[in-house]
Amino acid sequence: DSGVTQTPKHLITATGQRVTLRCSPRSGDLSVYWYQQSLDQGLQFLIQYYNGEERAKGNILERFSAQQFPDLHSELNLSSLELGDSALYFCASSVLASGNNEQFFGPGTRLTVL
Amino acid sequence: GEDVEQSLFLSVREGDSSVINCTYTDSSSTYLYWYKQEPGAGLQLLTYIFSNMDMKQDQRLTVLLNKKDKHLSLRIADTQTGDSAIYFCAEVSGGYQKVTFGTGTKLQVIP
């Protein structure tokens, strides 16, 4: 158990819908990262937040957005969902924002878009 | 640009050594990591190496880094069935810790 929690574990929805994925980092970790893992794209970094502010952006679509709240939990919002958005979404947390900094991964949310 | 490549699959017999290879293209990488992903689980950091090191040993794991060829390898000695998983290398570059993961290598250990 990494100490990072993600809800829900599974999510099934239809195209065009909007969903919110939630992540609670390890106690004391200020940085949260979101990743998407799919069969054809592999593991892709989406976005990083540090202490409430966006820190780095990766391959995140405009239909997706994220935020980190004052209690440090984070939400990833996915809208106008398409079949290709079906994937495992991982959240990770770390103490620092940069440098050599181990990221602890949550168990993931499996999103299926029908 | 950054592109991290790995072979997709490796099969070894229990007790043998496994070597998983990774090539990357970003010469400004500062740290390189190896993560393990077991079925249905998230990624777990196994080990890392600084870009100014050539080798790092950690119990059964040995990491070799060839900066000139941008080649990273992970050797697992005395491979066990519990080592069966997908192994990802990842490079970290830039002050904001931009992480690029490899495509992952699925290690199958045959009893």
Side-chain angles (χ1 to χ4, degrees):
Chain A
D1 184 358
S2 66
V4 178
T5 59
Q6 289 186 249
T7 56
K9 200 165 182 171
H10 300 277
L11 196 48
I12 301 174
T13 188
T15 53
Q17 295 298 304
R18 173 190 166 94
V19 296
T20 298
L21 312 184
R22 184 188 166 106
C23 168
S24 292
R26 287 188 328 154
S27 176
D29 285 358
L30 298 178
S31 211
V32 169
Y33 311 77
W34 285 99
Y35 294 89
Q36 179 195 58
Q37 186 177 35
S38 61
L39 280 173
D40 55 341
Q41 295 286 328
L43 192 63
Q44 300 273 326
F45 166 67
L46 295 178
I47 197 164
Q48 177 197 1
Y49 279 83
Y50 178 74
N51 205 20
E53 294 196 3
E54 183 184 304
R55 190 75 178 212
K57 225 169 184 174
N59 301 324
I60 188 165
L61 299 172
E62 283 196 18
R63 299 184 285 109
F64 296 180
S65 64
Q67 53 183 331
Q68 187 180 26
F69 295 87
D71 67 353
L72 301 176
H73 90 270
S74 178
E75 292 180 356
L76 178 68
N77 301 297
L78 315 176
S79 61
S80 303
L81 284 167
E82 300 175 1
L83 294 177
D85 297 327
S86 295
L88 257 175
Y89 291 84
F90 287 106
C91 163
S93 73
S94 65
V95 173
L96 304 173
S98 59
N100 183 24
N101 187 13
E102 178 177 356
Q103 294 183 26
F104 293 85
F105 280 75
T109 292
R110 183 172 290 282
L111 174 67
T112 303
V113 182
L114 301 175
Chain B
E2 309 102 10
D3 217 6
V4 183
E5 294 187 356
Q6 301 176 237
S7 51
L8 288 178
F9 189 75
L10 176 66
S11 180
V12 299
R13 294 209 170 273
E14 190 174 16
D16 288 349
S17 291
S18 310
V19 180
I20 302 170
N21 294 302
C22 170
T23 57
Y24 60 99
T25 56
D26 189 346
S27 57
S28 69
S29 295
T30 50
Y31 308 95
L32 294 129
Y33 296 90
W34 282 104
Y35 280 87
K36 176 184 180 182
Q37 184 180 27
E38 294 182 2
L43 278 71
Q44 176 193 3
L45 180 67
L46 281 179
T47 188
Y48 65 90
I49 189 167
F50 295 109
S51 59
N52 62 357
M53 294 169 66
D54 298 323
M55 185 181 96
K56 180 178 180 181
Q57 187 146 4
D58 187 357
Q59 298 182 337
R60 291 191 298 123
L61 306 178
T62 303
V63 179
L64 294 177
L65 175 61
N66 181 329
K67 271 199 89 171
K68 178 174 163 288
D69 295 337
K70 296 191 186 72
H71 183 262
L72 180 74
S73 68
L74 173 70
R75 179 176 179 269
I76 306 173
D78 187 26
T79 313
Q80 304 296 307
T81 53
D83 295 324
S84 293
I86 301 176
Y87 290 81
F88 292 90
C89 63
E91 61 173 349
V92 178
S93 55
Y96 291 120
Q97 200 181 0
K98 183 169 188 287
V99 183
T100 305
F101 282 85
T103 45
T105 299
K106 185 170 183 176
L107 175 65
Q108 179 189 46
V109 182
I110 304 165

